[in-house]
Amino acid sequence: MQGQDEEGGASSFIVKRKVQITGGSTYIVSLPKEWAKALNIDKGSEVLLELNPEGWIRLRSPNSASRSVERVTEVLLRPNLSDAVLSMQIISAYLAGYDTINIKFDTQMAEAAERIANFVRTKTIGLELLEESNDQLTLKTVVDLTSISAHTAVENMIRVVKSMITDLSDVIEGLKQRDLLDAMIRRDDIVDKLYLYIFKQLNLALQGLMSPKELGMNALAEAINLYTMVKSLERIADQVVSIAQWLLDYNGQLTPEIRQLFDKVKLSVLSSIDLINTLSQEQILLMYESLHREAVWVAELYSKARASGCANECYPIFDGARRIVAQTIDLLEAMMGLNALRSLENRRAFAA
């Protein structure tokens, strides 16, 4: 925050103004000249005003709504860093809201650069390779980030994560063949894409470049709980993949206890995820209490397995189930927070 002054300046983020009345019924506030110039607002220009439930008013020019100024950044690929680190550099730029990412590299790294760029494209929505030379690749965001609301993206995440959990449970219970696991693991790329897409939308909203309404949120304050929800879904999917990858290499027979364990966890997790659509406080609290009991039950079952000698062999399923339950508890906590926030928003609206 920079200074509070009467006149303001191009570098001032906050200025103080007195509200005046014109025509006996219209309230007016003057706009600093430097701000108007920065937004290309002139006499007779139309502006957009947005009233936010938190009690602030946002003013912008219609042209600024389209983010017409392209954001460009450069990422230098260094040979002493791993693919994972280099990929994260690019993904971080994507999440920050850059429209164009120029990837620079030495000619000896051309093959690695192409490999990294292709990996990043599998993890993001709308990031495409549009230019290529012997020492640079250019990725550009080619998707309108308002075309899919955060609400719709979350709905898609829910469907994919639920299908992954159900398919894994069916394999564990012997209802489906293990060759289903490879296709199920590939679905995790969809979950990652949707998670990063929502993350980027929330980043832009927090920067004031998208409105909460464009994302399907009632207010910007919902961003924290929404992020926690999608992060929990993404982590649940990661644990499902971890168990599936272990099963692909496991040639032994799963015990009835293991099958019972995952079937119970599946039912609880699916029921919890379904509550995202209702945000029923009573149901969330009941499931929250039930999952805490289930976490204790998983720990007790693991202790019995250790006594019987199969714990080490089946540890990945026990550990995965334990983590899935813990991440579902995080999901429910985010739902409770969102429920409380929306209740507060409704009271404010009613009081107004």
Side-chain angles (χ1 to χ4, degrees):
M1 182 183 300
Q2 295 185 8
Q4 294 186 357
D5 58 54
E6 291 297 327
E7 295 304 322
S11 63
S12 297
F13 297 153
I14 296 178
V15 296
K16 188 184 295 182
R17 288 290 189 264
K18 289 184 178 180
V19 178
Q20 302 181 40
I21 298 180
T22 181
S25 60
T26 302
Y27 292 86
I28 62 172
V29 177
S30 63
L31 183 66
K33 183 177 180 180
E34 291 80 2
W35 291 14
K37 286 183 177 180
L39 294 174
N40 294 319
I41 296 174
D42 205 344
K43 181 180 179 181
S45 298
E46 290 186 343
V47 294
L48 302 177
L49 294 175
E50 178 186 348
L51 178 60
N52 189 275
E54 279 94 2
W56 47 264
I57 298 172
R58 183 168 69 165
L59 179 150
R60 60 181 178 175
S61 68
N63 291 334
S64 69
S66 62
R67 294 204 307 123
S68 56
V69 178
E70 184 179 27
R71 294 175 153 196
V72 181
T73 190
E74 184 176 288
V75 174
L76 176 63
L77 300 189
R78 290 177 287 171
N80 60 323
L81 297 177
S82 67
D83 282 12
V85 173
L86 298 173
S87 298
M88 187 47 57
Q89 279 185 277
I90 301 169
I91 291 174
S92 295
Y94 166 82
L95 294 177
Y98 285 103
D99 305 296
T100 299
I101 304 171
N102 293 317
I103 306 171
K104 304 283 289 184
F105 50 87
D106 291 334
T107 54
Q108 301 95 319
M109 290 192 67
E111 184 177 338
E114 186 172 355
R115 181 177 66 247
I116 291 166
N118 287 334
F119 171 78
V120 169
R121 289 166 60 202
T122 67
K123 295 296 180 181
T124 57
I125 292 178
L127 196 60
E128 295 296 335
L129 177 62
L130 295 187
E131 295 180 30
E132 183 175 359
S133 68
N134 66 334
D135 62 354
Q136 178 174 307
L137 299 176
T138 298
L139 297 175
K140 289 182 70 73
T141 300
V142 297
V143 169
D144 177 7
L145 286 170
T146 63
S147 62
I148 306 175
S149 71
H151 174 76
T152 301
V154 171
E155 287 293 315
N156 290 338
M157 279 190 77
I158 290 172
R159 283 193 291 270
V160 177
V161 172
K162 287 176 66 176
S163 73
M164 292 172 67
I165 294 170
T166 300
D167 286 348
L168 178 61
S169 178
D170 287 347
V171 172
I172 289 174
E173 292 180 54
L175 300 177
K176 293 183 179 178
Q177 298 299 315
R178 293 192 182 193
D179 54 10
L180 176 69
L181 295 174
D182 281 322
M184 188 218 74
I185 290 171
R186 287 195 297 271
R187 265 176 266 161
D188 187 50
D189 283 340
I190 301 174
V191 175
D192 289 341
K193 283 187 174 185
L194 291 166
Y195 161 67
L196 293 175
Y197 179 83
I198 297 168
F199 191 149
K200 180 168 184 172
Q201 284 186 320
L202 294 176
N203 259 342
L204 293 176
L206 291 170
Q207 294 174 55
L209 298 172
M210 294 181 71
S211 72
K213 297 297 182 183
E214 287 177 312
L215 303 186
M217 296 189 298
N218 295 335
L220 189 58
E222 295 181 6
I224 295 175
N225 290 304
L226 179 58
Y227 171 75
T228 304
M229 285 169 52
V230 297
K231 182 60 178 177
S232 298
L233 288 171
E234 188 262 344
R235 292 176 68 195
I236 290 170
D238 284 346
Q239 292 304 317
V240 170
V241 168
S242 179
I243 296 174
Q245 289 172 333
W246 174 79
L247 281 173
L248 285 171
D249 297 326
Y250 181 68
N251 296 318
Q253 291 294 319
L254 298 176
T255 66
E257 290 80 10
I258 289 289
R259 294 175 178 175
Q260 177 196 12
L261 163 73
F262 205 83
D263 182 59
K264 186 172 182 179
V265 168
K266 175 197 73 175
L267 293 174
S268 297
V269 174
L270 294 183
S271 297
S272 298
I273 292 174
D274 283 339
L275 293 177
I276 293 175
N277 292 318
T278 64
L279 291 180
S280 167
Q281 183 177 14
E282 182 177 355
Q283 290 179 309
I284 292 172
L285 291 174
L286 289 174
M287 185 58 67
Y288 188 72
E289 183 175 3
S290 175
L291 274 176
H292 275 282
R293 290 197 299 268
E294 194 160 301
V296 173
W297 174 74
V298 171
E300 292 174 347
L301 194 63
Y302 179 62
S303 296
K304 292 179 182 179
R306 290 179 63 187
S308 66
C310 84
N312 292 334
E313 184 180 8
C314 299
Y315 176 77
I317 291 185
F318 280 110
D319 185 59
R322 178 184 64 82
R323 291 174 184 270
I324 288 172
V325 169
Q327 287 146 10
T328 305
I329 289 174
D330 291 342
L331 178 66
L332 290 170
E333 289 173 350
M335 287 189 221
M336 282 192 281
L338 190 56
N339 180 288
L341 187 59
R342 289 185 175 174
S343 176
L344 180 61
E345 290 165 0
N346 291 335
R347 289 188 180 184
R348 285 174 176 167
F350 180 77

